[in-house]
């Protein structure tokens, strides 16, 4: 959710929808846009891809009942133009909130999935997305992923580079491996500030 | 490493190579075969697939240096006969050692990767494999995976169903999703006992 505001007014003036208003007589020293961070749910994230989590998953016992399979939490889309699917690990620096967003990227040919490893319930990371097509910064959304919640960005979905919060986190990444360009990056004209 | 032995003789009579000998005059009530568990290393596991770990990985900074990418720790092989790649989660019951092996399975059309989630350094699981082709139980190998070490079984490699140790563990699984049969299972004529 997006509103234009003076930075100092952000925490105090936000109403329940994240809307903020400059106090009468205040002078903005620069224009920034606040992006309120939303909880990460499958429903809210559906326009951008898939939340990788157990909630709502189809599951059934295998291995003579000693294992429960939570099936196909995400399906990759990585084979365009001869692409293959690789399993990589991203070690992401920990940032703090509020976080200033300046750049967005997309992989026009493929999905990309992130699942944090060795996390505790208190670990979290920030997911910032915009619909595919021409980047519309007015359509930016920010989500807070908790614990081992993963996300898979659908093909072409704009997203901010990895934003682990509070401490360095490792993510298993399932994405396309090929010898071609599959990443567009845009520096936004004006930054956004993501905060809870 | 495999040796035939009387079960009661296993812990005591094993030499440094895991070889055991029945004590003179002892009477075996059944024949069992001990499989000594080896450390999981990329080199030792190479005939069976890939160890998913940072050691030895090709890595480089991305995202303006805020993320380190450990690239393509494993490459999937899941697209035979129209297969797609899915990301699932297996919740595996915790077992204790020694563990009795009775069954092996393989996926003739595809690789299958396992990476444990939310593990600590003390978490571990057991990996039991045999080369592809006709199952040769004499070629069984057992490996101990520690912490978040993952494995990808190469296409057709025989492996035991998931054996988390000590406590229930969750594994991210990257494997082939398709509406066909892609699992052969064999109950072994005689069990094996895997132990450290």
């Amino acid at each position: 959710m997006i509103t234009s505001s003076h930075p100092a007014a952000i925490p105090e003036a936000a109403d329940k929808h994240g809307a903020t208003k400059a106090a009468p007589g205040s002078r903005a020293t620069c224009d920034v846009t606040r992006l309120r961070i939303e909880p990460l749910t499958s429903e809210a994230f559906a326009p951008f891809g898939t939340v990788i989590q157990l909630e709502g998953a189809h599951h059934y016992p295998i291995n003579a009942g000693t294992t429960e399979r939570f099936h196909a939490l995400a399906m990759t889309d990585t084979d365009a133009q001869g692409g293959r699917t690789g399993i990589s690990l991203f070690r992401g620096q920990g940032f703090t909130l509020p976080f200033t967003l300046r750049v967005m990227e997309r992989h026009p040919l493929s999905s990309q999935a992130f699942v944090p490893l060795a996390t505790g319930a208190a670990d979290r990371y920030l997911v910032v997305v915009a619909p595919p097509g021409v980047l519309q910064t007015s359509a930016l959304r920010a989500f807070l992923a908790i614990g081992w919640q993963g996300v898979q960005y659908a093909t072409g979905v704009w997203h901010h580079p990895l934003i682990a919060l509070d401490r360095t986190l490792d993510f298993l990444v399932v994405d396309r491996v090929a010898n071609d360009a599959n990443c567009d990056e845009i520096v936004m004209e004006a930054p956004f500030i993501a905060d809870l």
Side-chain angles (χ1 to χ4, degrees), chain A:
Chain A
M1 257 161 231
I2 289 180
T3 54
S4 292
S5 65
H6 185 283
I10 290 171
E12 295 77 19
D15 68 13
K16 67 178 180 178
H17 298 106
T20 59
K21 294 178 183 176
S26 71
R27 288 194 307 169
T29 52
C30 67
D31 285 336
V32 297
T33 306
R34 180 192 182 196
L35 190 61
R36 201 181 62 153
I37 301 170
E38 308 169 53
L40 179 63
T41 66
S42 294
E43 295 71 21
F45 194 70
F48 311 104
T50 308
V51 178
I52 297 170
Q53 60 183 2
L54 299 191
E55 187 185 330
H58 171 51
H59 61 99
Y60 48 91
I62 59 172
N63 299 344
T66 65
T67 301
E68 190 76 6
R69 178 175 179 129
F70 296 81
H71 181 65
L73 304 179
M75 294 298 299
T76 68
D77 174 21
T78 53
D79 57 0
Q81 299 182 19
R84 295 185 59 203
T85 308
I87 301 172
S88 298
L89 183 132
F90 284 15
R91 175 160 288 172
Q93 173 183 330
F95 294 95
T96 53
L97 295 177
F99 183 88
T100 303
L101 309 162
R102 299 181 188 279
V103 64
M104 295 288 281
E105 69 176 46
R106 68 172 172 184
H107 308 298
L109 295 177
S110 59
S111 61
Q112 187 178 40
F114 291 78
V115 180
L117 291 174
T119 49
D123 288 315
R124 55 189 196 155
Y125 65 101
L126 185 57
V127 175
V128 180
V129 285
V134 176
L135 176 61
Q136 295 180 287
T137 56
S138 62
L140 280 181
R141 302 274 293 275
F143 298 96
L144 190 68
I146 305 269
W148 73 261
Q149 269 190 320
V151 290
Q152 178 169 276
Y153 303 118
T155 299
V157 163
W158 291 100
H159 55 277
H160 192 281
L162 188 59
I163 313 169
L165 293 174
D166 311 320
R167 71 177 183 96
T168 298
L169 292 180
D170 288 340
F171 295 77
L172 207 69
V173 173
V174 182
D175 65 1
R176 179 176 176 271
V177 174
N179 290 320
D180 55 22
N182 182 26
C183 188
D184 299 328
E185 186 177 289
I186 287 185
V187 178
M188 295 186 285
E189 289 183 5
F192 289 73
I193 294 181
D195 203 359
L196 291 168

